[in-house]
Amino acid sequence: MNILEVERLSLSFGGIRALDDVSLVAPQGAITAVIGPNGAGKTSLFNAISGFYRPERGAIRFEGRDIGRVPASRRAGLGLARTFQNVSLFRGMTVLDNIKLGGHSGLRAGALSAMWYLGRAREEEMRLRAEIEREVIDFLEIDHIRGLSIGALAYGLQKRVELARALAMRPKVLLLDEPVAGMNREETEDMARFILDIQEERGITVMLVEHDMGLVMDISNHVVVLNFGRVIASGTPAEVRASPQVIEAYLGAKAARKARHEA
Amino acid sequence: MRTGDYRASYAQDEALFVTPVQRAWLLALIVGLAAFPWAAGSYLTYIAVLLGIHVISATGLNIMTGYTGLISLGHAAFMGVGCYAVAYAANAGVPFWIALPLGGLASAAIGLVVGIPSLRIKGLYFAIATLAAQFVLGFVFREWEPVTGGVRGVNLPAPSLFGLAIEGDRAVYYIVVPAAVAMLVAARNLFRTRVGRAFIAIRDRDISAEVLGISLLRYKLTAFAIGSFYAGVAGGLWGYFFRAATPEAFSLGLSVFYLAAIIVGGLGSILGGILGAAFMTMVPEALRAIVAWIAPWYPPATVLLSPMREIVFGALIVGFLVFEPHGLAEMWRRVRRFFHLWPFKT
Ligand SMILES: Nc1ncnc2c1ncn2[C@@H]1O[C@H](COP(=O)(O)OP(=O)(O)OP(=O)(O)O)[C@@H](O)[C@H]1O
Ligand SMILES: [Mg+2]
């Protein structure tokens, strides 16, 4: 079953067609990678799925239901979480509070009960805290930094905290926009391991955008290639790697011809 | 891997007053506040009541502006709404402990209406919308004679409890200070929960707040309603304290006074609201005292120095902003870190 389906999505900014008749699916429990050159429309696709951009045409289906008209803030509650290409954490808060924000839609307390605190609000907050410690902080190995402010962290750790926040949302589908960009070798390997664990142990469906081809080929089950807003290829990593259109998009027409020649 | 009872240890980590020393300090503070009007003279009691009112109002503004990022230039007008509502209710015979929350609710209701544009217009543009609210409400205070008494305003009866009138500053102190303490605790609690975190998330980055499931409209309006509720209660207390509601009391100048208080004290900090209100209330008083002290030696002082007071006050505010942009609360934190003595977690 495909938990997330994008059907014939089109989106433009002025004259630029960021997405042009894009269709793709994320099979339940799999890791689907979306790749493509800079400006191909990958982030725009994520923004449309998470509800920031209103596509002009097409449908986005989540668990079979069209969510095109569901406001961005309600999609979290459905089970859709994401991270951003440029880390988007709250700098004025500690790591722990940032992660707690991920639990927002799972909690219920309103302002009055929050101000009184002693009843339901407190109980809920304690439960959230314990849950986060167990399922997120231990898992991502960030115990040592929970009290620090975001500004004090190296970039690689910030990305990890952003992943932590997304996990605290207990999502069904996790969208990761360039999870290892700007990371060194070791951090990249850690991140790859976390993503695999998230998929294998928790059964969360992952869709990721990434330029690091090594990572994409290693961990994804499916790859979709975008170029100038269009899907130009999709399939298993091996199929995509062999596709002439993909080689052309990445290396230019000349290299593609050469590759074909040699084949 | 950690083992054991998560709940207990995290509960402790999340608590505000943990160690016996902290609890002792808290107790001392409560006793001190309760005894204050008896130990201090009538002048200091008067200042303490005024300060209590300012602390409530400044905390309300801090919730909307400092924590949620919605700049308001109409805070005094919201206080006015509370003050007139309480005056109206009190004159109709409603007891003060019902009239005060009613004043807060009236103000919150108006705040909700004014807050609605916050979804569409941001930052300074929104500030201008609140400025408009300040002027419109000021106009209503002056012109809606049957309710507000026009430019002359309306008087309030003394609040009473079990048939006993609560008259004099000392008696009013025992309404204002508990109200201030309760509202500070409530505000502090708010920021231990999802609601408070949502406010901060909206202030820092509204787009990614939405991805986390935070409805901007809902929480911006909530912040505005809570902030105006605080203003309304403060306005009602003001009414009981001065026993009058007049339009000139709730002018733009007072709105700016509260903005200055939270900026000097520390935006987005409960302690900041308290320290800022204290600064804004007490520094002019201190300057006045200094002038009065010099006068006997140098009689022209009163004439010469009185205008200087305003200048010195202004210069002090600017000085704080330049040397400590994060406000008095941050300064306080540094001092505390240095001494490692003060028990309160902030
Ligand atoms: N908010 C926007 N306003 C105008 N143009 C936009 C906007 N967002 C994206 N675009 C344009 O849409 C196209 C696709 O951009 P997008 O960010 O989706 O690319 P991308 O595949 O994520 O690229 P990269 O790999 O560099 O992150 C680009 O031409 C970009 O300039
Ligand atoms: Mg991108």
Side-chain angles (χ1 to χ4, degrees):
Chain A
M1 198 200 80
N2 301 317
I3 186 164
L4 180 68
E5 297 170 325
V6 170
E7 200 178 284
R8 312 203 63 175
L9 213 59
S10 294
L11 173 71
S12 43
F13 299 103
I16 302 168
R17 299 220 108 201
L19 296 175
D20 187 2
D21 210 20
V22 170
S23 297
L24 51 85
V25 296
Q28 167 86 53
I31 297 181
T32 304
V34 178
I35 63 171
N38 292 110
K42 305 178 297 293
T43 299
S44 302
L45 173 69
F46 274 20
N47 284 343
I49 296 173
S50 44
F52 290 151
Y53 294 163
R54 275 288 126 86
E56 285 115 44
R57 245 171 306 115
I60 300 164
R61 270 190 292 277
F62 186 80
E63 297 187 302
R65 170 181 168 211
D66 188 350
I67 57 165
R69 305 208 163 274
V70 177
S73 62
R74 296 266 296 284
R75 297 188 191 193
L78 297 177
L80 195 60
R82 73 172 286 186
T83 65
F84 291 83
Q85 184 167 350
N86 315 306
V87 178
S88 168
L89 292 165
F90 302 101
R91 306 198 134 252
M93 290 187 220
T94 61
V95 167
L96 184 60
D97 275 345
N98 266 281
I99 300 173
K100 279 181 176 174
L101 265 164
H104 185 87
S105 358
L107 306 181
R108 284 288 152 267
L112 282 182
S113 125
M115 292 172 99
W116 177 245
Y117 191 71
L118 292 174
R120 174 193 202 164
R122 177 170 189 279
E123 188 194 311
E124 234 182 42
E125 290 294 327
M126 291 302 153
R127 195 157 13 93
L128 174 69
R129 175 76 194 270
E131 215 171 87
I132 283 175
E133 292 287 343
R134 203 172 50 230
E135 294 173 12
V136 179
I137 292 188
D138 276 358
F139 172 64
L140 294 179
E141 297 156 21
I142 46 179
D143 309 57
H144 55 296
I145 56 165
R146 65 161 89 67
L148 299 184
S149 77
I150 300 300
L153 302 180
Y155 188 70
L157 270 182
Q158 293 190 12
K159 290 219 129 184
R160 203 185 285 190
V161 173
E162 207 190 11
L163 176 63
R165 190 177 68 188
L167 277 185
M169 296 169 75
R170 305 185 134 202
K172 295 175 184 155
V173 173
L174 184 56
L175 308 176
L176 304 172
D177 198 346
E178 308 203 5
V180 302
M183 286 191 174
N184 63 31
R185 180 101 241 121
E186 194 186 331
E187 289 170 328
T188 303
E189 278 166 14
D190 283 343
M191 188 56 89
R193 181 164 53 85
F194 292 137
I195 296 173
L196 280 171
D197 282 351
I198 288 168
Q199 177 220 9
E200 285 167 8
E201 288 171 19
R202 309 197 175 190
I204 295 174
T205 306
V206 177
M207 185 180 269
L208 63 90
V209 164
E210 193 40 75
H211 285 291
D212 182 330
M213 284 309 136
L215 179 89
V216 169
M217 297 301 160
D218 276 356
I219 69 170
S220 37
N221 307 105
H222 305 276
V223 181
V224 178
V225 190
L226 284 183
N227 195 22
F228 295 113
R230 300 188 70 101
V231 175
I232 58 167
S234 68
T236 63
E239 284 165 6
V240 162
R241 194 162 27 193
S243 154
Q245 287 98 315
V246 176
I247 299 171
E248 188 175 322
Y250 272 91
L251 304 171
K254 222 168 166 183
R257 233 169 302 145
K258 193 161 156 247
R260 227 170 306 158
H261 230 72
E262 282 165 7
Chain B
M1 178 79 197
R2 227 181 247 272
T3 49
D5 184 4
Y6 285 100
R7 252 190 104 104
S9 60
Y10 297 132
Q12 197 156 74
D13 195 19
E14 304 270 333
L16 292 181
F17 306 100
V18 183
T19 66
V21 182
Q22 287 175 336
R23 286 168 194 274
W25 270 106
L26 187 65
L27 190 68
L29 182 69
I30 292 169
V31 171
L33 283 176
F36 185 83
W38 305 93
S42 61
Y43 170 70
L44 285 181
T45 304
Y46 166 89
I47 295 291
V49 172
L50 201 58
L51 177 57
I53 293 171
H54 286 330
V55 164
I56 294 173
S57 194
T59 300
L61 184 63
N62 217 349
I63 290 172
M64 13 202 241
T65 302
Y67 281 103
T68 318
L70 302 166
I71 301 173
S72 171
L73 282 167
H75 204 60
F78 294 124
M79 270 180 93
V81 171
C83 187
Y84 282 107
V86 167
Y88 192 82
N91 283 316
V94 176
F96 78 91
W97 46 273
I98 294 179
L100 282 171
L102 277 182
L105 288 177
S107 178
I110 304 287
L112 277 178
V113 176
V114 175
I116 287 173
S118 67
L119 198 69
R120 283 292 145 107
I121 49 178
K122 303 214 161 88
L124 280 179
Y125 296 93
F126 180 70
I128 299 302
T130 60
L131 184 62
Q134 169 76 45
F135 288 127
V136 170
L137 289 169
F139 179 80
V140 173
F141 298 158
R142 279 191 311 277
E143 303 299 326
W144 195 17
E145 284 226 29
V147 173
T148 65
V151 283
R152 279 175 299 107
V154 282
N155 292 327
L156 280 83
S160 67
L161 196 61
F162 309 122
L164 285 169
I166 301 175
E167 274 180 294
D169 295 352
R170 193 185 278 168
V172 175
Y173 176 97
Y174 288 104
I175 300 179
V176 170
V177 170
V181 169
M183 291 173 89
L184 284 169
V185 171
R188 186 70 193 81
N189 283 341
L190 193 61
F191 294 97
R192 298 159 82 185
T193 67
R194 75 193 279 261
V195 181
R197 286 192 298 269
F199 290 170
I200 300 174
I202 288 172
R203 175 193 71 192
D204 285 357
R205 225 183 258 264
D206 38 39
I207 301 227
S208 54
E210 278 199 285
V211 175
L212 299 168
I214 295 166
S215 152
L216 299 185
L217 179 65
R218 176 166 168 196
Y219 284 98
K220 282 182 176 179
L221 289 184
T222 305
F224 225 80
I226 294 175
S228 333
F229 181 89
Y230 275 57
V233 172
L237 290 167
W238 175 291
Y240 280 126
F241 185 41
F242 293 108
R243 300 282 292 279
T246 55
E248 74 271 16
F250 306 108
S251 63
L252 179 62
L254 188 63
S255 289
V256 174
F257 173 94
Y258 288 121
L259 265 183
I262 60 171
I263 292 172
V264 168
L267 290 167
S269 152
I270 300 293
L271 183 65
I274 303 173
L275 294 178
F279 180 93
M280 296 296 290
T281 313
M282 291 182 339
V283 169
E285 293 296 322
L287 291 174
R288 200 198 317 263
I290 291 171
V291 170
W293 184 70
I294 295 174
W297 282 284
Y298 182 60
T302 356
V303 184
L304 274 175
L305 293 182
S306 290
M308 286 297 288
R309 253 173 33 210
E310 315 265 307
I311 297 172
V312 171
F313 186 40
L316 275 174
I317 293 176
V318 173
F320 270 111
L321 294 186
V322 171
F323 294 108
E324 187 47 82
H326 295 294
L328 294 167
E330 183 56 33
M331 225 159 168
W332 178 247
R333 260 190 285 279
R334 269 211 303 274
V335 170
R336 206 187 56 187
R337 221 171 291 142
F338 185 74
F339 287 106
H340 265 280
L341 264 178
W342 190 254
F344 298 122
K345 275 173 101 178
T346 46

